[in-house]
Amino acid sequence: MSRLYGVVAEFDSPEALVEAVRKVRAQGFTRLEACTPFPVHGLDEALGLRRSPLGWFALAAAGVGVAAALLLQWWTGAVDYPLVVGGKPYFALWPSVPITFELAVLLASFATVFGMLALNGLPRLYHPLFEDEEFRRASDDRFVLAVEATDPVFHATETPALLERLGALAVRPVEEKA
Amino acid sequence: MADLAIRQPLPLETPLIEGQPTYGDISRDVARVVESRPPRFWYIALAVSGTLTLVLLGVLTHLVRTGIGIWGNNQPVGWAWDITNFVFWIGIGHAGTLISAILFLFRQRWRTSINRAAEAMTIFAVMCAGIFPLMHTGRPWRAYWLFPIPNQDLVLWQNFRSPLMWDVFAVSTYFTVSLLFWYVGMIPDLATLRDRATTRIRQLVYGLLSLGWRGSARHWSHYEKAYLLLAGLSTPLVLSVHSIVSFDFAVSILPGWHATIFPPYFVAGAIFSGFAMVITLMIIARRVYRLEHLITMTHMENMCKILLATGTIVGYSYAVEFFTAFFSGNPYERYVFINRVTGPYAWAIWTMFACNVFAPQLFWFRMFRRSIPVMFAVSIIVNVGMWFERFNIIVTSLHRDFLPSSWGHFTPTIYDVLTFAGSVGLFLTLFLLFLRFLPVIAISEVKGVIPSPGGKGGH
């Protein structure tokens, strides 16, 4: 069994894709996916995507890093096993700065990378778009717009016709393996 | 749309990429490196570097079985070639993140052709660097004692007030973050390789590595944010790492080490040596793999300019060190510097001056900045000079400190030489494997800096 996932339309330049996305959105389509070989600026706005919240993830993780590092250095040095070394205080802020900084950066980087993957739903081994043999060119030199069949305004014959009118080089239906 | 305008080159600007390639040309040219059989040069180079790597394995095995007495370090020179090599490799590892992060934040678009290889170089250099302090501990199987892991055999905690512990955190954080940055940058290109793959094994390996990336606008939105954040995090990180390495010396009270100029001086030196290594490797890679239109003469020239700038900063730092020693009025401090230029290791400091301060001055002239033989020679000379810089800082400060009765002399043994040569072999082996299996140029980033076929100005 397979069912229709949607239609894909190929464009040959980022500008053509952005233009097509604008027009398709103006028609009321919402379930769109635009795939490009490199980040195309203006596409986020055309699709109406929200700003990525990753910055907050990183900030929170950096806060955890600072707290954890200070706690670690204070507790091990001044509480659990106080040891006089070179007559220095058991715990002081200045000598704690390097490790605190490094741990904040480390945790913020983990949050950034794993947060990015989580928000993108990656790793993901299968996606219906990979069923389309020509879709592989979306990582090479094609700019692909996919309109999902679950879109309320989707029509099996009119939607492909609309995409062709918008200047797509090719428009194909994509079947999803059930 | 404002961003779109920024990414289009100005009409008067020299194109970053030569020959007006299309998007497809760029994918093909970069993928060709991993998809076709490697040139004969690759096999010969791998045979040499692989042999050296085996030498490294042999020496380290001998070292672990016997003890670090096989090296020439002994009182008063407890740190010698091993720590020199550590600082040398860590320094080389600074150019990659500088190119990826700092030049990214400064919107230096020429970085796109060289950042991938420079990041790879960073990671391999930090791996080589890690070997030396690890082995220098004498009991590398107890290396986990360096981290605050609760365990039965060590009843006390690490001394977090020591710069050596700061160094453990700085270097391990730097390695981890550089690896993440490198991998994240590579995901879209791994997807390109996956989509071009013709054999099952390639599809499988690149498919798994690319994590199901499909280049959707949502992906790119989070991805670009992540890239920007990593660049923002790596920028202070890269500056902190070599500053902290310099604290290993500067926080001590030894004449010749106890200097406030050390952090900026070390960072400038690190960038200097790192760029020299990038130039060496890029000259070979672009020639062997015929990538001269992607890594153009403009890229090489820009790197030469950075070499000139950082080399001059390094020269200034040397001068400040001497001035401070003179101006301090401290007889021990003064003696270290007089001893450096006239003592038993004077040849090393004069080598350092010639290589680091004078050689890069050639790059004031455009003729030399655009000459491959000149820049190849200078890049090698600079790395020799930077190795000697660390040797001077470490050995000449240690061998004669306060008490003449505890003075000594350091001579390397054959094992010092072989460990260093072996680490060069490991570095080159890893780099050659990278060239063979991973995208050497950031495909998706380069596509972003060439004119679009649908752009208003066209080509």
Side-chain angles (χ1 to χ4, degrees):
Chain A
M1 265 305 283
S2 67
R3 63 187 182 83
L4 187 65
Y5 166 76
V7 290
V8 291
E10 278 179 26
F11 297 88
D12 66 351
S13 76
E15 290 80 5
L17 175 73
V18 173
E19 201 48 40
V21 168
R22 281 219 183 84
K23 296 214 168 108
V24 168
R25 285 244 306 162
Q27 302 261 339
F29 286 91
T30 49
R31 300 191 62 89
L32 303 172
E33 179 140 289
C35 297
T36 56
F38 57 88
V40 171
H41 290 256
L43 194 55
D44 300 8
E45 292 85 349
L47 279 166
L49 294 184
R50 273 183 306 188
R51 276 170 60 95
S52 173
L54 265 180
W56 297 109
F57 288 31
L59 186 68
V64 172
V66 168
L70 288 176
L71 203 65
L72 171 78
Q73 294 172 87
W74 166 76
W75 184 76
T76 57
V79 179
D80 192 50
Y81 202 116
L83 193 65
V84 178
V85 179
K88 287 179 254 182
Y90 293 132
F91 176 79
L93 202 57
W94 286 118
S96 309
V97 166
I99 289 180
T100 308
F101 171 78
E102 300 298 334
L103 215 58
V105 168
L106 182 68
L107 295 195
S109 303
F110 277 132
T112 302
V113 172
F114 295 111
M116 184 272 283
L117 292 177
L119 289 171
N120 281 341
L122 301 175
R124 174 172 178 166
L125 294 181
Y126 174 78
H127 191 275
L129 280 173
F130 292 137
E131 292 293 331
D132 183 31
E133 268 302 301
E134 288 298 305
F135 178 72
R136 57 177 57 190
R137 286 189 71 179
S139 68
D140 181 12
D141 61 350
R142 285 289 182 264
F143 301 81
V144 173
L145 175 60
V147 183
E148 291 180 29
T150 50
D151 196 299
V153 240
F154 184 84
H155 189 281
T157 52
E158 274 175 24
T159 304
L162 168 72
L163 290 167
E164 260 165 27
R165 278 201 305 281
L166 291 174
L169 302 177
V171 180
R172 288 179 305 275
V174 174
E175 302 279 321
E176 182 176 8
K177 287 225 176 73
Chain B
M1 283 313 281
D3 278 326
L4 195 60
I6 286 166
R7 294 177 80 100
Q8 299 295 336
L10 296 169
L12 291 175
E13 201 179 326
T14 330
L16 285 173
I17 306 300
E18 287 169 1
Q20 304 182 346
T22 63
Y23 298 132
D25 292 340
I26 291 172
S27 317
R28 200 192 54 231
D29 287 349
V30 179
R32 189 193 63 213
V33 175
V34 294
E35 286 169 355
S36 53
R37 270 175 66 85
R40 179 176 301 152
F41 171 84
W42 188 85
Y43 290 102
I44 297 169
L46 189 70
V48 175
S49 70
T51 309
L52 283 174
T53 309
L54 291 176
V55 168
L56 177 71
L57 276 177
V59 174
L60 293 184
T61 310
H62 180 49
L63 184 131
V64 168
R65 288 172 57 96
T66 318
I68 54 168
I70 66 167
W71 282 339
N73 349 350
N74 210 334
Q75 290 298 349
V77 187
W79 288 0
W81 276 43
D82 48 355
I83 304 301
T84 300
N85 296 338
F86 163 69
V87 183
F88 172 78
W89 282 120
I90 281 281
I92 286 177
H94 274 55
T97 315
L98 180 101
I99 293 172
S100 318
I102 301 185
L103 297 187
F104 177 78
L105 296 182
F106 282 116
R107 291 187 177 264
Q108 293 295 307
R109 296 180 315 142
W110 58 274
R111 69 183 265 292
T112 56
S113 294
I114 52 169
N115 68 336
R116 174 69 43 74
E119 286 167 36
M121 183 202 81
T122 286
I123 288 160
F124 306 147
V126 177
M127 287 162 87
C128 290
I131 294 171
F132 293 97
L134 182 70
M135 290 297 154
H136 185 86
T137 60
R139 286 189 285 171
W141 55 92
R142 296 284 198 209
Y144 62 94
W145 282 4
L146 292 166
F147 295 93
I149 304 164
N151 57 68
Q152 289 297 312
D153 44 36
L154 185 73
V155 289
L156 66 160
W157 288 103
Q158 290 73 21
N159 176 18
F160 292 111
R161 290 159 285 178
S162 160
L164 299 181
M165 276 309 295
W166 307 345
D167 212 18
V168 170
F169 276 75
V171 172
S172 47
T173 300
Y174 186 56
F175 179 72
T176 314
V177 174
S178 301
L179 192 66
L180 286 174
F181 203 2
W182 185 55
Y183 181 62
V184 165
M186 226 163 17
I187 293 173
D189 293 353
L190 290 169
T192 302
L193 290 181
R194 169 200 69 199
D195 292 344
R196 294 174 55 91
T198 45
T199 64
R200 187 72 195 134
I201 183 104
R202 278 178 176 274
Q203 279 176 344
L204 209 65
V205 173
Y206 290 124
L208 286 173
L209 287 176
S210 60
L211 306 175
W213 179 266
R214 56 186 191 281
S216 138
R218 282 177 187 80
H219 284 185
W220 284 118
S221 162
H222 295 306
Y223 174 90
E224 285 208 287
K225 186 74 172 188
Y227 204 87
L228 179 68
L229 283 169
L230 284 177
L233 289 165
S234 303
T235 297
L237 178 65
V238 68
L239 301 178
S240 83
V241 174
H242 227 57
S243 298
I244 292 176
V245 169
S246 84
F247 289 163
D248 292 346
F249 306 97
V251 174
S252 77
I253 53 164
L254 194 73
W257 283 4
H258 188 58
T260 46
I261 194 161
F262 263 35
Y265 159 35
F266 268 52
V267 171
I271 294 164
F272 181 53
S273 65
F275 266 91
M277 187 60 96
V278 179
I279 291 175
T280 314
L281 295 176
M282 288 295 99
I283 286 175
I284 299 171
R286 74 199 276 274
R287 173 76 181 274
V288 170
Y289 290 106
R290 300 189 308 281
L291 295 168
E292 284 104 334
H293 60 300
L294 295 176
I295 305 167
T296 64
M297 195 53 96
T298 312
H299 292 102
M300 305 310 292
E301 188 180 354
N302 284 345
M303 289 196 277
C304 291
K305 287 179 184 168
I306 292 190
L307 218 53
L308 172 62
T310 49
T312 310
I313 297 174
V314 165
Y316 169 77
S317 307
Y318 296 160
V320 168
E321 269 196 305
F322 276 89
F323 176 75
T324 312
F326 155 74
F327 199 63
S328 69
N330 178 329
Y332 302 106
E333 191 74 25
R334 281 184 182 179
Y335 178 72
V336 165
F337 284 88
I338 293 168
N339 183 45
R340 273 190 193 168
V341 283
T342 59
Y345 296 108
W347 57 276
I349 203 160
W350 292 111
T351 310
M352 172 189 95
F353 282 133
C355 295
N356 294 350
V357 186
F358 300 112
Q361 302 306 320
L362 284 178
F363 293 141
W364 285 105
F365 304 100
R366 184 178 157 90
M367 183 176 76
F368 295 127
R369 288 199 304 265
R370 298 184 73 89
S371 156
I372 293 290
V374 170
M375 64 174 94
F376 190 73
V378 171
S379 70
I380 302 274
I381 290 171
V382 164
N383 264 320
V384 171
M386 285 308 293
W387 189 89
F388 274 104
E389 179 196 300
R390 279 65 174 252
F391 177 83
N392 281 314
I393 291 173
I394 293 170
V395 175
T396 66
S397 304
L398 283 169
H399 92 122
R400 289 180 180 177
D401 64 356
F402 302 99
L403 275 180
S405 61
S406 56
W407 284 1
H409 193 83
F410 164 78
T411 332
T413 65
I414 182 72
Y415 296 108
D416 281 299
V417 181
L418 290 179
T419 329
F420 180 59
S423 71
V424 174
L426 175 66
F427 175 76
L428 293 176
T429 304
L430 292 168
F431 196 79
L432 288 166
L433 293 175
F434 157 73
L435 286 178
R436 177 72 187 88
F437 295 109
L438 292 170
V440 60
I441 290 177
I443 305 172
S444 67
E445 287 192 38
V446 172
K447 285 176 185 167
V449 298
I450 62 166
S452 148
K456 288 183 186 67
H459 279 294

